[in-house]
Amino acid sequence: MWRWITQRWARLLQQLSWITHPITIFVSLQVVWLAITLIWVIWFVTERAEIGALAKRFGQEYFSTEITVAILVVGCILLGVLLVGTILLFVAGQRQSSAARQQRTFVSSVTHELKSPLASLQLAFETMMTHELDPSTRTRIADMIYSDIDRLRRLIDQILVAGRLDRGILSFDDASSAVAMDELINKIVDKLSYMDPDLRARLTIDCPPGLTLRASKMALSLILNNLVENSIKYSPRQSPIKIGFDQLGREVFMYVQDQGIGLDKKDMKRLFKLFRRGESAVKKAIPGTGLGLYIVKSAVRVLGGRVWAESAGSGQGSTFYVSLPIEQK
């Protein structure tokens, strides 16, 4: 009986948790504020005669309608200024709180991302040190060690790049490089094969033969690597992934399409912000740092292009598009 009461009480508190939400409290305070302002205006208008008599007692002989309106307007302006100031303070506080939550989530995600390859490396070294291994097994373990080290290196590079982009100090010195897109995308796919050994079987690449772009190879690698990695990470095994390129005039379009967890409208609004991750990804505990799409958008912006995403909704896949003003060689 006591357990049932406790469960019911906990459920009731959970259902009523919206009452103590900061936005609910803020809106309630603003409603009270506006109600007080309205009451004050009504009181001032209805008590105008008494206010005029009080003004005469203090030497103000003339208390016209214009003075009444002026006092009323000044009072409303002052109350409005206080209201706006309160709203600005609330918005600033919410942003600070959101930034703190995002940073805590980022630290937790990075810790997890670092812990997995480190644990794998430790196990591999212990195996090599405590067992007599045949050459084939030793080679396989060495390949696994190299893969984990490369994973750590890419994670650290991603964190460093995101930090530089956030401070606006990253520039691409190889902006005039001639980049063969089919060669670049195949190298990226080979590097990401550790995430899915059967990646080639479910991947479709639609790239015009001989498409060569004059652009920063580093920037293009950052963009495509993060988009393809996200498609692998957020879509089921064996589901199709398509990478496409097209050129219209002096504008190049790239897209990466998957049949993964998809995006809802709330995710679309904050998708490319630093440390932001979709709610579906967080709920499904999919590993990630919230840096990839921020790096994509920043790199695209440096190249003078634009990036956007389309999705029919949660669970219905997504497509990321990139448009770059890059001339063909």
Side-chain angles (χ1 to χ4, degrees):
M1 181 64 181
W2 176 251
R3 183 179 180 183
W4 180 83
I5 294 174
T6 304
Q7 291 176 348
R8 294 287 295 179
W9 178 251
R11 190 177 303 171
L12 179 62
L13 290 178
Q14 186 177 6
Q15 292 174 350
L16 297 177
S17 61
W18 62 271
I19 296 177
T20 59
H21 194 280
I23 294 179
T24 303
I25 296 174
F26 176 75
V27 172
S28 301
L29 290 175
Q30 300 314 306
V31 170
V32 172
W33 189 284
L34 292 174
I36 292 173
T37 303
L38 182 60
I39 292 171
W40 177 79
V41 171
I42 295 173
W43 173 84
F44 189 87
V45 172
T46 55
E47 301 295 330
R48 179 174 175 274
E50 286 76 4
I51 295 173
L54 182 63
K56 288 181 181 181
R57 289 181 58 185
F58 286 93
Q60 179 65 44
E61 298 294 335
Y62 183 69
F63 194 74
S64 64
T65 303
E66 289 78 8
I67 295 177
T68 304
V69 173
I71 295 173
L72 189 62
V73 169
V74 170
C76 290
I77 290 174
L78 291 175
L79 288 173
V81 169
L82 291 174
L83 179 63
V84 171
T86 304
I87 292 173
L88 293 177
L89 287 173
F90 176 78
V91 172
Q94 286 295 104
R95 287 182 176 177
Q96 290 290 337
S97 177
S98 178
R101 286 196 303 270
Q102 292 166 20
Q103 290 175 359
R104 287 195 298 269
T105 302
F106 169 72
V107 171
S108 176
S109 300
V110 169
T111 302
H112 178 78
E113 290 289 305
L114 291 172
K115 186 176 180 180
S116 297
L118 286 175
S120 177
L121 286 171
Q122 182 179 1
L123 178 62
F125 277 115
E126 288 177 354
T127 302
M128 294 182 69
M129 294 296 293
T130 58
H131 295 81
E132 292 293 335
L133 304 175
D134 58 84
S136 61
T137 303
R138 185 175 291 273
T139 300
R140 188 169 64 253
I141 293 178
D143 291 339
M144 184 178 67
I145 291 173
Y146 175 80
S147 177
D148 288 330
I149 292 174
D150 185 62
R151 179 180 173 184
L152 287 171
R153 179 191 59 78
R154 285 187 289 103
L155 175 61
I156 293 171
D157 287 344
Q158 196 174 47
I159 295 172
L160 292 175
V161 168
R164 291 169 185 165
L165 288 169
D166 189 43
R167 295 191 299 272
I169 61 175
L170 181 66
S171 60
F172 301 110
D173 298 327
D174 58 342
S176 59
S177 301
V179 184
M181 295 308 298
D182 55 349
E183 180 181 347
L184 177 63
I185 191 61
N186 277 289
K187 285 184 178 179
I188 290 173
V189 170
D190 288 338
K191 287 184 178 180
L192 295 176
S193 294
Y194 78 93
M195 300 179 67
D196 182 5
D198 299 324
L199 179 59
R200 286 285 182 181
R202 64 184 180 118
L203 183 67
T204 302
I205 301 176
D206 182 12
C207 181
L211 178 61
T212 303
L213 307 179
R214 284 205 172 274
S216 167
K217 185 175 182 179
M218 178 182 178
L220 292 173
S221 298
L222 286 172
I223 294 167
L224 289 171
N225 187 85
N226 281 290
L227 291 180
V228 176
E229 183 177 353
N230 275 4
S231 292
I232 300 171
K233 187 185 299 181
Y234 298 115
S235 60
R237 289 289 182 95
Q238 300 181 349
S239 64
I241 296 175
K242 185 174 182 180
I243 306 170
F245 300 85
D246 196 11
Q247 185 170 9
L248 299 175
R250 299 176 63 181
E251 195 170 22
V252 175
F253 291 89
M254 300 178 283
Y255 68 88
V256 179
Q257 184 181 61
D258 63 61
Q259 303 297 322
I261 62 176
L263 302 164
D264 55 31
K265 292 183 179 179
K266 185 184 296 184
D267 292 334
M268 301 284 267
K269 294 179 181 179
R270 60 185 185 180
L271 195 60
F272 296 97
K273 294 184 178 180
L274 186 61
F275 303 142
R276 296 283 189 170
R277 300 190 67 208
E279 291 187 2
S280 298
V282 175
K283 290 179 180 178
K284 294 178 182 294
I286 300 175
T289 59
L291 297 177
L293 291 180
Y294 172 78
I295 292 174
V296 170
K297 184 176 181 178
S298 300
V300 170
R301 185 174 63 245
V302 170
L303 295 178
R306 56 196 179 96
V307 58
W308 69 98
E310 294 181 0
S311 176
S314 181
Q316 301 187 55
S318 57
T319 306
F320 287 84
Y321 296 92
V322 175
S323 172
L324 298 173
I326 305 174
E327 295 183 359
Q328 187 173 0
K329 185 177 178 182

